[in-house]
Structure formats: C-alpha cells, structure tokens
Amino acid sequence: MNLRVKVMTAFISLVIIPLFILGIITFVVTFRSIELKYTQQAEYSLKAIGYSIRSVFNEINNLSDNGIAKGVFQEALLANDPDAQDLTATTQLELNANQKNFRSLLYTHPAIDYAFLYNAYGHRGSNVITIFNKENFRTLPYEKFQEHPLYNEILSLNGMPKWIAPYEYTDLTGSDKVFAQIRLIKNLTNFKRVGILVVQIKNWEFEKIFQNLKLGSSMKDTRFMLVNDEGLILYDHQSELDGQLLQPHIQHKLHLDSDYQSFKEDFDGQLSVISVHKLKGYPWRLVSVTSWRYLSQEVTTFAKWFAGIILVCVLTAMLFNMLFMNRITGTIGVIVRFMRKVESGDLGARVEEKGDDELLLLQQGFNNQMDKINELFDQVKREQLQKANAELRVLQAQIKPHFLFNTLESINVLAVQNEGRKVSEMVLRLASILRISIQDKEEIELGLEIEHLRSYLEIQKFRFEELFEYEIDIPQEMMGCMLPKLTLQPLVENSIQHGFEGIDYIGKVKVTGRMEKDRILLRVEDNGIGITNEQLTAMSHVDGDDPALQSLQPYPSHERRGLGLRSVSDRLRIRYGSRYGLFICSWPGQKTVIQCIIPKQESGDNHETESFIGR
C-alpha cells in the first residue's frame, strides 16, 4: 500500500467518520439544548431590558423637549438678569405660567436628581442657572466645560440630547451613580444657540427594571451589566462591579462590534455564557453573564453517551500519529524548513535522505534540484563576472595608453617652459587618477569617483583650455554612496571627445546628482553637437514604469560613441539589472543628457555583485 492509500484510508476511518458522527450528535443535542434554549432567551431578555431603559431616557427627553418647546429655558437664558430666573426660587410669584408648570414637572418627577443651564452669554462666574438643586455637588464652570471633549460633540448634535453614564465623565456627573442628559438650547425665533441644558437622573429607575424582571429558570444565576464602548461597567445590577473595566474579568479580549453576540468565556475564573446586546441609539451595551455550570447540567447525560466514542477516537488517532503520521508530517516539515532556507538565500541546504517510500523520493528530488540549481547559478555567475571583468579591463586598457601619453607629453612641455607649479599640479592630478584606477576594487565611494573625475577634467582643461568648461554639483550626503569604478569618467570623456567635436563655441559639461528613495541618479549634460533623431529612433525604449525616464533612451549596443560608454552601460546592467544603467536623451545641435541610475548603497553595506537572474 503506497503513501497515498495509507493517508486516505487513515483520514477516512479516523477523521471523517468520527467527525461525521460526532458532528451530528453535537448539532442535534448540544445546539438544541443549550444554544437555542439559552441564547434566544438571553437575547429576548436583554432586548426587553433595553426597551425599558430607553423608555426611561425617552421620558426625560420628552420632559426636556417640553421645556424647550414652551421656551422655559430660553426665557431663563435670554433674560436681562439670567441669575434672577432661577427656577428653584421658593416664591411661585417670581415665575410665569410656563415656568410654574415646568417647575411642577421637575419636582414631581422621581428620577430627576439635578438640572441646570449653562448660559452661553453670561459673565464669568454667572454662567450657571440652577433648575433643580443638588446638595454636595459643585457644577463644572462653563469656561472649563468649553474645553471639555464633550463640548464640540454637543454643538454638533444641534439640539439632540446626548446621554452620559456614571463613571464616564465624573467631572460633569460627580461621584454619584447618575445618568446625565446634555443638549444644546436654541432661541426659537432665530435658532441661535443660547445655552446648554444638563439634567441628571438617579439610577432608581434602573433598579426597578431589574427588580421587576421575572427571570426564567434558565437565567436564575445571571448577572446584568450596562457597559460602554470602552468596556467600562456603568451599572451592575448586583452593585459589585460598578465603575470597573469589564475586560479584566474576561480571559480573552472582548470585541463589542455587533448588535448581539453570545459566547462561552471565563468570567472571574468561572466558565460562563456571556451575551452582549447593543442598546439602540446609545453608545452602550447590555451584558448578561450566566454560569455555564448551571446551563451544562442538561447535557451531562449526552456527555456520558459519547465520551466513550471520543476517547476511543482520540486514543486511536494518537496511536496512528505516533506510528506513522509523525514521520510523514515530520519529513514534510523538514523539507519545508529547508525550502525556506533556500528562499532566504542558503543554496547549500540539503535534506538528509532516509526511508524507503515516496518520502525518500521527495527528499532525493529536492537535493537533486538544488544541485542542478547551484550548478547553473555558479555557471551563470562565472560567465557574468568574467564578462564584467573583461569589460573593465578593456576600458582601463583603452584609457591608459593614449591618455597617459598625452598627459606626459603635456607635463614635458611644462617642464621645458619651467612651469614648475603647473608641472606639480599635473603630476598630482595624474597620480590621483592612477591611484584610483589601479585600486583592486570594483566598487568605490562616489567621493573617490568625483576626485578621479575632477583630476581627469583638470588635465583635459589644461590640454584643451579654450574648448570647454565644467561644473560638478553633487550633494555632500551622496559622497558615501557606492558605485562601480570608472563610471563617470567615460561619460565625461564621451562629451569632450565626441560632443565638442567641431564646435565653434565654448563647450560646457555639467555633472549633477540626486537621491530618490532607494536609488541615486547621476546626470552628465553637455551642450555639444548631440545625436541625430535617426540614431535615437534606432535605440530601444526604456523598460520600466518610472515616468521620469520615459523620454530617456537606453544606450545602444552598436558602435556610436566609443567602447568606454558601452562598457559602463553593460557593467551597470549586468551588476544591478535592467532597471538600472545609462539612459540618453539628445537634441541635435543643442545638447546631450546621459543619466546614470544605480541602487543606493552606503559605504560598508553588503553589496556583493549580483546577477541579473531573478530580477
């Protein structure tokens, strides 16, 4: 029996069939006896409690709506002397008819604990107009309330009531267990805001709701709480967890993001069923917590029936896992780990070959594949490095003979003319060029490349004094970036020898640079004779998504401006890939721009020569 048949037989007999039987029993017995029995009743109870709580709030909303509609609050706020409009005045003669009726409603309502108005136009110290007195409570000054986070929210509600619960904003409600309604008051004639109403109600009405709630037998061990979006317990009907956070009592993180949810979780170390219902229209949620020990009593009989089946399945699966599956999964896991090593660049990773079935073939196949990949990779790498080194040697061989001969000849002329200072300067420039060019490094810092370029330009400037001028503008922060040696000098040499050929004006070479994210851009611009449109048309378009390069063309492979320029282009593309290299744009008779794009690499970074494979 091969591996596939073994795995399929074991999977069907030890996983599919037991799970099928267990799933049917679990669905029929557990879902009907627990979820349908408790969850639906919990949702119904929480909705009923939520309806009663909203009724309390709606009653206070209607009460304040009545005061606004009758203009009681506006009269108190817009009076010439707002402080004299105190609705708590003991003399009824001081109040008008509307104020008398509204004052009677306040005093006869059992839930009202405290009510006052903020006068938006009062003077400092006289912004608060008391409607219903409360002992041992100091109202937050209006100036500080304007700095409160709730102030702008109240204004944005444009007169709609905002309810806050106990422990949410104690600076507004105090330490008492009171709920507070806050709403904007507007002038009924021009709808301009004139003040803010704050009404506090006691939690007596909430206690009556839970006292009158007839709990069924399935919910006799249930705790009810009112919780806000931050998980703060605003009200606990058992008065034990008021003002505490709900999360520390639950083992896992609670997500309050749905209208209703019910799940099983530890609450204060005891397994419980937790149901959460969003209170419609308010940023609060009703939470019920019921002991699972009580609810699970009805499924004890069910557990006895299938406990034996589960035990047999588990023991059989463990035995199978120990004898066979451990080896399968272990071997596959080892191969996966070695594949990840290969993904991270370790091409020398090899799997130990053992066994006598398909797993051995898998191990051998992986090792053979890695051997072939390494052979091909080494072959391509050797070929590309040989090509790059050959190009560099050809470039150096091209530069040295004629340039050294001409430079030495110029030095000899200066020596004959007894120009000792100029002789010294020319020798130093030549020594700098030789020192950098013969370094046994393929990459150098941009600062050294600029030093090499400046020495070359100064020597050429001496030889062709009236032919050209130059300018180098490279930011200092780029000087530590790495680039292949002899990158800029061939580009400038191209401009001097070919771009200025036959011109009757002073040529100018400008070398600039800038950094863009993970790459650096070096630009060599001359005002020489340029390249014709026919030659540019023959060049292939740049293969990339950078809009800045769409007008620039990669340097052609055919003979145009010398071996040095082609060598630089090929070396950059071999080393860094097709996204980098030389790009040329020219206006015949006006100027030529050569742009060199290479990846940004600081001195000291690990920047080994990379093949274009995989790019």
Side-chain angles (χ1 to χ4, degrees):
M1 182 181 293
N2 60 27
L3 180 61
R4 179 181 299 176
V5 177
K6 292 178 182 178
V7 173
M8 183 61 65
T9 303
F11 183 76
I12 293 175
S13 61
L14 299 178
V15 178
I16 298 298
I17 296 177
L19 284 179
F20 181 76
I21 297 173
L22 183 61
I24 294 177
I25 297 175
T26 302
F27 179 83
V28 173
V29 179
T30 305
F31 280 17
R32 289 182 180 178
S33 63
I34 296 179
E35 184 177 7
L36 295 179
K37 183 177 180 179
Y38 173 77
T39 303
Q40 293 179 357
Q41 186 170 353
E43 183 178 7
Y44 173 78
S45 299
L46 291 177
K47 286 183 178 179
I49 295 172
Y51 177 79
S52 299
I53 292 176
R54 290 197 303 272
S55 297
V56 175
F57 291 147
N58 289 336
E59 185 178 352
I60 302 302
N61 289 342
N62 293 334
L63 180 64
S64 59
D65 286 342
N66 181 274
I68 293 175
K70 292 183 177 182
V72 174
F73 304 127
Q74 292 88 335
E75 290 179 11
L77 292 168
L78 296 175
N80 293 330
D81 187 3
D83 293 338
Q85 300 295 314
D86 194 336
L87 296 183
T88 61
T90 56
T91 304
Q92 290 283 339
L93 296 177
E94 299 178 12
L95 306 175
N96 58 35
N98 287 336
Q99 292 174 332
K100 289 178 181 180
N101 294 334
F102 187 74
R103 183 177 182 276
S104 299
L105 287 175
L106 291 176
Y107 274 91
T108 57
H109 199 289
I112 299 296
D113 185 56
Y114 184 46
F116 63 91
L117 288 166
Y118 279 124
N119 187 356
Y121 300 103
H123 301 288
R124 183 177 297 274
S126 64
N127 297 89
V128 177
I129 302 175
T130 304
I131 299 176
F132 196 86
N133 280 329
K134 180 178 182 180
E135 296 181 358
N136 301 322
F137 177 74
R138 185 175 180 181
T139 305
L140 183 70
Y142 182 65
E143 293 80 7
K144 292 187 177 180
F145 177 66
Q146 287 179 303
E147 302 174 357
H148 200 278
L150 281 176
Y151 181 76
N152 289 328
E153 183 179 356
I154 299 301
L155 297 183
S156 65
L157 289 175
N158 201 27
M160 296 296 293
K162 166 71 176 179
W163 281 93
I164 61 175
Y167 310 108
E168 286 188 316
Y169 300 97
T170 55
D171 50 352
L172 288 174
T173 60
S175 58
D176 293 343
K177 299 178 182 180
V178 295
F179 289 79
Q181 180 205 80
I182 308 176
R183 65 191 304 176
L184 182 67
I185 305 298
K186 291 186 175 181
N187 191 327
L188 295 179
T189 58
N190 54 22
F191 295 101
K192 292 184 178 179
R193 55 176 180 260
V194 293
I196 295 175
L197 171 66
V198 180
V199 178
Q200 296 182 0
I201 63 171
K202 305 181 182 72
N203 61 2
W204 295 348
E205 299 295 330
F206 295 89
E207 294 175 356
K208 290 179 182 180
I209 292 173
F210 291 104
Q211 289 174 358
N212 297 330
L213 182 65
K214 303 299 183 180
L215 299 179
S217 60
S218 62
M219 299 182 67
K220 69 178 184 179
D221 292 335
T222 303
R223 174 196 296 270
F224 292 96
M225 295 173 289
L226 185 66
V227 180
N228 65 7
D229 291 341
E230 286 72 34
L232 180 66
I233 300 175
L234 309 173
Y235 177 80
D236 177 17
H237 91 288
Q238 297 182 2
S239 301
E240 295 177 356
L241 305 179
D242 291 334
Q244 300 183 26
L245 288 174
L246 180 62
Q247 187 61 59
H249 300 277
I250 301 177
Q251 183 177 0
H252 298 91
K253 186 172 180 58
L254 180 64
H255 297 283
L256 304 174
D257 53 0
S258 60
D259 291 340
Y260 179 78
Q261 57 179 315
S262 183
F263 53 91
K264 190 165 56 176
E265 181 61 90
D266 283 343
F267 188 87
D268 283 344
Q270 183 178 8
L271 187 61
S272 305
V273 175
I274 301 174
S275 301
V276 183
H277 169 67
K278 179 174 174 54
L279 198 61
K280 186 176 180 181
Y282 299 90
W284 305 322
R285 286 166 174 79
L286 282 168
V287 179
S288 67
V289 181
T290 305
S291 171
W292 176 253
R293 179 179 300 176
Y294 172 76
L295 295 176
S296 61
Q297 291 177 356
E298 298 182 4
V299 297
T300 303
T301 303
F302 161 74
K304 293 178 180 179
W305 280 98
F306 72 87
I309 299 176
I310 294 178
L311 181 60
V312 172
C313 292
V314 170
L315 292 177
T316 306
M318 291 177 60
L319 181 62
F320 179 79
N321 184 65
M322 291 173 58
L323 297 179
F324 186 71
M325 287 303 296
N326 266 353
R327 179 173 177 270
I328 296 177
T329 58
T331 302
I332 295 176
V334 169
I335 295 177
V336 170
R337 288 197 298 271
F338 276 84
M339 291 175 65
R340 289 175 178 171
K341 288 184 179 180
V342 174
E343 290 177 358
S344 63
D346 184 7
L347 299 181
R350 297 294 184 275
V351 180
E352 180 183 359
E353 300 178 2
K354 57 183 179 180
D356 57 356
D357 52 15
E358 288 86 346
L359 293 177
L360 176 61
L361 298 178
L362 182 61
Q363 296 165 352
Q364 292 175 343
F366 174 81
N367 291 338
N368 292 336
Q369 183 183 23
M370 292 310 304
D371 291 338
K372 293 293 185 181
I373 291 175
N374 274 282
E375 291 177 5
L376 292 174
F377 183 81
D378 292 340
Q379 178 181 353
V380 172
K381 185 176 180 180
R382 286 194 302 270
E383 292 176 355
Q384 296 302 324
L385 288 176
Q386 289 172 357
K387 181 179 179 180
N389 290 333
E391 292 285 357
L392 179 60
R393 287 193 295 270
V394 171
L395 174 63
Q396 292 174 331
Q398 180 204 23
I399 293 174
K400 290 179 181 177
H402 74 271
F403 179 73
L404 289 177
F405 176 79
N406 292 332
T407 303
L408 291 175
E409 185 177 280
S410 299
I411 293 174
N412 180 61
V413 172
L414 291 174
V416 172
Q417 297 175 354
N418 291 324
E419 295 286 349
R421 184 183 61 79
K422 292 185 178 181
V423 169
S424 175
E425 182 179 351
M426 291 282 283
V427 170
L428 289 176
R429 296 289 184 184
L430 180 60
S432 176
I433 292 176
L434 294 176
R435 181 176 66 254
I436 295 174
S437 62
I438 66 176
Q439 283 187 5
D440 190 19
K441 295 180 180 178
E442 292 189 15
E443 287 188 331
I444 62 174
E445 292 184 355
L446 179 58
L448 287 177
E449 182 72 10
I450 295 301
E451 179 184 346
H452 178 275
L453 176 63
R454 196 180 300 275
S455 298
Y456 171 81
L457 285 169
E458 286 296 327
I459 291 175
Q460 294 292 61
K461 192 79 167 63
F462 173 79
R463 295 179 57 222
F464 308 106
E465 184 173 0
E466 302 297 330
L467 178 63
F468 73 94
E469 297 176 349
Y470 74 89
E471 177 185 352
I472 299 177
D473 183 13
I474 304 293
Q476 187 62 36
E477 59 267 20
M478 292 179 57
M479 293 303 182
C481 296
M482 305 298 294
L483 79 167
K485 181 174 60 176
L486 296 178
T487 296
L488 292 179
Q489 184 268 336
L491 308 184
V492 175
E493 181 181 12
N494 176 80
S495 296
I496 296 174
Q497 293 186 353
H498 300 281
F500 299 153
E501 182 178 3
I503 64 175
D504 56 358
Y505 54 88
I506 300 297
K508 185 173 183 180
V509 179
K510 185 176 182 179
V511 181
T512 58
R514 72 176 190 275
M515 289 190 292
E516 289 186 357
K517 296 182 180 178
D518 59 346
R519 64 182 185 176
I520 64 175
L521 282 71
L522 300 172
R523 184 185 181 98
V524 177
E525 179 179 347
D526 67 69
N527 61 347
I529 60 177
I531 303 175
T532 64
N533 291 331
E534 290 76 11
Q535 291 170 325
L536 281 177
T537 304
M539 302 175 186
S540 60
H541 290 280
V542 65
D543 185 14
D545 298 329
D546 191 345
L549 302 178
Q550 295 302 317
S551 63
L552 300 178
Q553 312 296 329
Y555 196 77
S557 59
H558 62 273
E559 184 71 18
R560 168 60 182 89
R561 284 204 169 186
L563 181 61
L565 197 57
R566 293 200 311 276
S567 177
V568 173
S569 177
D570 292 342
R571 283 193 295 128
L572 293 179
R573 291 181 181 275
I574 290 173
R575 179 178 293 271
Y576 302 123
S578 59
R579 292 179 59 244
Y580 304 96
L582 297 184
F583 299 85
I584 183 170
C585 185
S586 182
W587 292 262
Q590 298 182 35
K591 64 178 180 179
T592 298
V593 177
I594 301 176
Q595 189 161 274
C596 174
I597 302 177
I598 60 177
K600 179 183 177 183
Q601 296 174 337
E602 299 289 344
S603 177
D605 290 348
N606 181 18
H607 47 274
E608 297 178 354
T609 302
E610 300 183 42
S611 170
F612 59 84
I613 294 178
R615 290 185 178 268

